[in-house]
Amino acid sequence: MMEGTSMVKLRANSRQYHRYFRLLDDLSAIRWTPTTKKTSKAQLMIEQIKEIRTGKNCESLRHKDFPTSYNEERIFSILYGDSYDSLDLIANSPEEANIWVTGLNALIGASKDAPDAVEDRQTMRETWLKEMFEKASKDSSGGFIDQSTCIKLIKRLDSQVAMDRVKQKLQEFDMGKTDGCRGRIDSQEFIDMFKEIATRPEIYFLLIRYANKDYLTLEDFHLFLEGEQGLAGLTSDKVMELIEKYEPAPEARKNRQMLIDGFTRYLMSDECDLFDPSQRQVCQDMTQPLGHYFISTSHNTYLLEDQLKGPSSIDGYIRVLTCGCRCVKVDVWDGPEAPVVYHGNTLTTKVPFRDVVEAIATYAFDFSVYPVIIHLENHCSVKQQQVMASILKEVLGNHLYVHPLHTNTPLTDLSPDHLKYKFILKGKKLPREDLEEGEVSDEDEGGETKRNNNPRKVRLCRELSSLISLHRARFSDLNTAKTRQNVSEMCSLSESSAAKLAHACPEDLVNHNKRFLTRVFPNSSRVDSSNYNPQDFWNAGCQMVALNFQTPGQMMDVYEGRFRANGGCGYLLKPAVMREHISVFSAHSRDTIPGVAPQLLKIKVISGQCLPKPRGSTATKATIIDPYVVIQIFGIPADCIEAKTRTVSNDSSFPIFDESFEFHINLPELALVRFVVLDDEFIGDDFVGQCTIPFDCIQTGYRHVRLLSSMGEPMDMATLFVHVSISNRKGGGKPQWVKGKRTDKIQADIKPVGLRAADDLFKEASTVLVEAECEQSKVESAWSDLQDECGLEHTANMKQCLRVAISRYMATPDTSRLTIQEENGVPFLRSSRPGPLPSHLHRLQTAMEKVLLEIHHFLAHVENLRVSLESRLKPALAMYDTLENLLSYNGIKGKKANRAMENFAWNVRIIRGQLDRIVALKKKCRMAMEQVESTKVTLDSLNTRDRSPSVRERPRLTLANRHNTTDNLTTYGSLGRSPTTPSSECKPKSILKKSNSNLESSSAGET
């Protein structure tokens, strides 16, 4: 900043000018050249600056289009003066923009502090480190510690530090010493080393940019938790508990503050994992029918390698069951004396059937209590079938579920909750239970989908048949299944057969899977045990999508990522459009799904930490990699997309990416987000690590992504640091709104059915739908206006807007007190400032009052809207059961009848979707009001502070107090770590002295 940077200066007329910007040596102003103005006018005083905004969040930029090379990370605006005029700039890179934004925020924040405040907080950190050093060196002479003790101490103070980096720093420090001093570390050297190693620049920049200072007060941290991390219902006591838990410096804890070390510890904790901790336990409704769930399913579970000659073992069952798999396959053949399990007609080894059943019984419920489906593929003689039945009853005992013969409730209507700790056998069954034995079609799974009208018959004994509760049936086509298949029967489809159906008739397959269970298995041609993409069949509603768990890779990553949700219990509730009897859904549609609000996912990949060399790298490969990150979205075809960051050369320890991406998600409940780190190579990029997370399990805010190896194992300290925001969030995480075109607007094209009674019913419903949509639109429009006035993105919540409002009020000299006052039941932010407000505060107050009034009005009327919609929905649901007869009675048949049924289902889905949205908006509005109420505590604390003129009026910064402003920034370098030479002194202006490319040629005729 002090050496200068070439940037693009934007004018209101959209003209762009290349100018050279630099910070004056006394830190008092920013000056730019060349200019046609007087030098004194081509500058901006630091004391005039009010705010720094990033991206296109100023009114002057919000509606401008920029070339794709001008990504938002390069754009920032400096708001100055009482009128909040803006100086809009585009840096050459996100890194340079980050330096300017952080540096300016530090200068602004420092001018608000008491003269020695920053230095005092630096001393706090150093005092804590010195105390820790003295405790470690109390048994040594001379006040030194050896390198081994130093390593242990650093690891104890910061468990996230990579030991390789510590050892490297020790070697660098030793290089500058004489022989007699090598291997020994004194107090100051230890403090300097710890600061270099443990301070992450991107987190430090975040701290400065958020708090305008290098620490967080309790109030700052409270705002950060509610505004950025989306936590609700926090009290000051709870925030203080977090400070006590994560802040290591005793003096900082005593002062109710969090320094950089505590902030880093918090952001690295499990609480800030990208994966929502509420999803680590079972959190879905487990009382619905089995067919309403995706079920984790293994193919040929006994195999450990390929399908032709690899080993068979009970280890396969142990591994998948302890990962939450709930459906395992057992191929049983005649053995010399007792049945054995192996892949028939191949060279795979054999394992006794009893051993397999015992392993299943032992490990089935260690990880999940929900039912295990044992898929029996029986190829045994009648005699050995009887042995099988005996073993199953003996080993599984009372946990073996046998469905009652004379019951009106089919097995598939039972819920996972009802079947806890039960084993369900799936296989062929005799047509009548009074037969001692009989013939059934061949058990070979692959043969069930072959075009063969005369399948081979095999004998089946009653003892085994009576234990089967889930009957396997042959599949011919969807129309036949619709009329002939019993609801207690299920079919198995090869991936090829299932793919043809999913492509040719996606809606029919989804509807089939609402009534029946379907299993999809890999083609027999996959002799190497490779896997297909399971997402293709989840999109069609298939419940049991079987994969070869023994084969790692992208498809297995996706599978394991999907079933991480709901506590990893192996059962996941399908999206509502795939469960509801009256609904319309086709995975291949590019249109908005009726009743489902699309989501906008924004991900900023900030940095990586401790990225290892790719597994299997040769000894000749360099120890440093060139990483880049790929983000992949899996879901329905309209959602599938991927994006990647730039490559960071020669940095595997702490690469800075600092790139943002946007993804439009049409069906959030089916979407998965996969982060993949690769090593950029000339020929073939090597896999480093990955993490796959269901969309509904993502936490918004600043998060760490913990990477897994190619084998699905956690990688020690390997993480990505990201920021995530989601607009129009549906379920889980923090709720938010977005401004923009309303693609989900009632779709209120309520479609004509052609039946008068139905059309009259939906006509009445459309009136309520329009009213509900209007109420929603008022709230969201007012909310978007407030976000714009605050200069925030359209994902900001009420707490973030309040933070901006409080900051602006407190920056006004005449404001001595802020309060939350209730007027006619609505809480408003009020200032003690006498007289009319400045224009920028008046606009902000008006926007905030408007949104609070709209929220209050919506909350007062939402219950009536909900009741009105439900009263229209109930008769529609009742009519659907007799709709076919009504259509036939009125002469509507064939294609017209099918279209009428589809339109009826569409309209029902619209009403249900509107109900879901107003219930979700009700929850969001309540949270917004809670955030306003919780701000009272913050204001009480702010009002008790000494707001003397010396604090309110920003003093001009001089070289005499420069260290109070920039020292803490300088220790960490511009984007990397601080200088490694121990003898070098801290450079007070390093973050302000980022070197830049030569001055670009300027445009003619402008300042």
Side-chain angles (χ1 to χ4, degrees), residues 606-621:
I606 302 172
S607 63
Q609 294 78 43
C610 304
L611 303 179
K613 287 171 55 177
R615 174 175 288 195
S617 299
T618 61
T620 58
K621 182 175 177 64

Side-chain angles (χ1 to χ4, degrees), residues 33 184 200 224 327 375 456 706 708 805 846 937 966 988 996:
T33 56
R184 298 196 304 167
R200 283 173 48 185
F224 177 81
C327 180
H375 175 182
R456 188 169 68 90
R706 305 190 191 284
L708 305 175
T846 301
V937 178
T966 61
N996 189 61

Side-chain angles (χ1 to χ4, degrees), residues 4 152 651 715 723 778 828 830 874 895 937 982:
K152 291 178 182 177
D651 191 351
M715 303 171 71
H723 180 267
K778 287 179 181 178
F828 293 117
R830 293 291 183 240
K874 286 179 181 178
K895 290 184 178 179
V937 178

Side-chain angles (χ1 to χ4, degrees), residues 11-70:
R11 291 296 302 269
N13 58 9
S14 297
R15 297 187 68 179
Q16 303 176 10
Y17 305 91
H18 292 280
R19 295 291 179 261
Y20 196 79
F21 290 81
R22 62 180 292 267
L23 180 67
L24 299 187
D25 288 342
D26 62 358
L27 311 183
S28 63
I30 304 167
R31 184 170 293 171
W32 56 91
T33 56
T35 178
T36 57
K37 292 182 178 181
K38 293 181 180 179
T39 303
S40 60
K41 291 192 174 181
Q43 68 179 22
L44 177 61
M45 303 302 293
I46 296 296
E47 62 187 11
Q48 291 182 291
I49 297 176
K50 304 293 186 182
E51 290 179 22
I52 311 296
R53 296 184 186 174
T54 58
K56 299 194 299 181
N57 285 316
C58 277
E59 188 62 35
S60 57
L61 299 178
R62 192 167 287 120
H63 304 295
K64 285 185 179 179
D65 293 325
F66 295 96
T68 54
S69 59
Y70 288 172

Side-chain angles (χ1 to χ4, degrees), residues 785-887:
D785 291 342
L786 175 61
Q787 291 164 332
D788 289 344
E789 192 58 47
C790 291
L792 298 171
E793 293 188 3
H794 290 131
T795 55
N797 61 21
M798 179 61 74
K799 183 64 75 170
Q800 291 169 302
C801 293
L802 284 167
R803 175 176 173 267
V804 171
I806 292 168
S807 175
R808 289 187 189 173
Y809 274 112
M810 288 301 196
T812 307
D814 293 336
T815 301
S816 61
R817 185 175 181 81
L818 285 174
T819 56
I820 300 292
Q821 297 179 8
E822 193 168 300
E823 301 173 12
N824 297 321
V826 185
F828 293 117
L829 181 64
R830 293 291 183 240
S831 166
S832 63
R833 188 183 190 278
L837 292 171
S839 59
H840 71 282
L841 284 181
H842 177 72
R843 292 194 305 270
L844 179 60
Q845 178 175 291
T846 301
M848 183 162 286
E849 288 180 357
K850 182 180 178 182
V851 74
L852 290 171
L853 286 169
E854 292 294 352
I855 288 174
H856 178 74
H857 180 267
F858 177 81
L859 289 174
H861 292 81
V862 66
E863 191 59 25
N864 289 336
L865 286 173
R866 185 189 65 79
V867 171
S868 296
L869 285 171
E870 286 185 346
S871 67
R872 271 69 176 182
L873 180 62
K874 286 179 181 178
L877 297 177
M879 183 181 291
Y880 188 81
D881 294 334
T882 59
L883 186 60
E884 286 191 48
N885 294 334
L886 288 171
L887 291 171

Side-chain angles (χ1 to χ4, degrees), residues 15 116 186 191 195 430 817 889:
R15 297 187 68 179
D116 297 320
D186 65 22
I191 292 172
K195 283 184 176 181
L430 291 173
R817 185 175 181 81
Y889 179 78

